[in-house]
Amino acid sequence: MIGVTFAHPSESRDFLRLLGGRHREVKVLHTGVGAAACRERIGPFLESGSFTCILSSGFAGGIDGSLGAGDLFLAENFSDPHLLELAREAVIASVGRLVSVDGVIEEPTERARLAGEHGAAAVDMETEWIARACAAREIPLLSLRAISDTTATPFPAPARVLFELQRQRTPTARLAGYLLLHPPAILRLARFARRIAAARAELAVALKEVIDRLA
């Protein structure tokens, strides 16, 4: 069985639609956004079946300027070499180092600091914990993500307005209040939603290509 992880259901819906009736071959986990939720859920998931490999997927942020919103990204430092080579043959994606952090990175200076300190091209909040859990169980891992935001294409509003980590949801009242006070953000949010939709669709196709080669 192949396991596929996403942080949030909003990242996986196109993939689940493409997956169709192959749920017996593939098992999906929504880890939750951030380290705390991921650490709590990944262990029981890995113990729930006999997995040949895990694909860590979803969105990531670009931090070094080489990536654009919507690009596919393979994290070489978290991926099994054989799976990485297979994925490079199956999909068109940038390859580089990924760093996992405890919070959403918004400021360009913080993106640049992380890129410099870790030699990383992208950042997320879950892959390191998935990799640790897989390594402890000797399950091969592939990290394939789509870039949702960069310094050139940042989030359309502060992260605290877009998502609440503790409750794992968008605080709708807070978002509505922010948009009321910042009308230009409405257009930014619409553009961001279109970029995310395109990235999610491309990621779904790429994951299916990789799974087809693994099957």
Side-chain angles (χ1 to χ4, degrees):
M1 182 183 296
I2 298 169
V4 185
T5 69
F6 297 88
H8 193 268
S10 62
E11 299 174 322
S12 66
R13 59 175 179 257
D14 287 1
F15 172 69
L16 291 174
R17 186 163 53 248
L18 272 183
L19 190 60
R22 296 181 61 181
H23 288 274
R24 293 180 181 178
E25 302 171 35
V26 180
K27 189 172 183 179
V28 173
L29 169 70
H30 297 112
T31 65
V33 179
C38 184
R39 287 199 301 265
E40 181 179 337
R41 298 177 189 179
I42 187 61
F45 175 73
L46 295 179
E47 299 293 341
S48 70
S50 180
F51 292 103
T52 57
C53 64
I54 299 294
L55 310 184
S56 170
S57 196
F59 296 133
I63 59 175
D64 79 341
S66 67
L67 297 170
D71 288 352
L72 296 177
F73 181 76
L74 289 161
E76 60 184 351
N77 55 317
F78 288 122
S79 296
D80 172 84
H82 171 72
L83 293 178
L84 181 62
E85 185 61 28
L86 181 147
R88 294 183 72 169
E89 294 174 357
V91 301
I92 298 174
S94 296
V95 180
R97 292 183 62 81
L98 175 74
V99 58
S100 295
V101 297
D102 291 333
V104 178
I105 304 302
E106 299 182 82
E107 295 299 324
T109 53
E110 182 64 6
R111 291 179 191 258
R113 183 189 67 78
L114 284 171
E117 287 185 2
H118 297 275
V123 61
D124 79 345
M125 298 172 65
E126 299 87 25
T127 298
E128 179 179 348
W129 310 110
I130 297 168
R132 289 186 183 188
C134 286
R137 295 164 177 82
E138 298 184 339
I139 302 173
L141 174 69
L142 176 72
S143 175
L144 170 60
R145 291 189 171 244
I147 300 302
S148 59
D149 58 282
T150 67
T151 297
T153 52
F155 291 113
R160 63 178 180 79
V161 171
L162 295 173
F163 196 80
E164 189 174 359
L165 278 177
Q166 185 173 4
R167 296 187 178 182
Q168 293 286 307
R169 64 175 180 81
T170 298
T172 52
R174 189 184 304 167
L175 176 59
Y178 180 86
L179 295 177
L180 184 64
L181 293 174
H182 305 84
I186 298 173
L187 180 57
R188 294 198 301 270
L189 185 62
R191 289 173 176 165
F192 182 74
R194 288 195 294 271
R195 290 200 307 269
I196 287 293
R200 182 175 58 238
E202 187 169 355
L203 180 61
V205 172
L207 284 169
K208 185 175 183 300
E209 289 290 331
V210 171
I211 288 170
D212 285 346
R213 296 208 178 197
L214 287 169

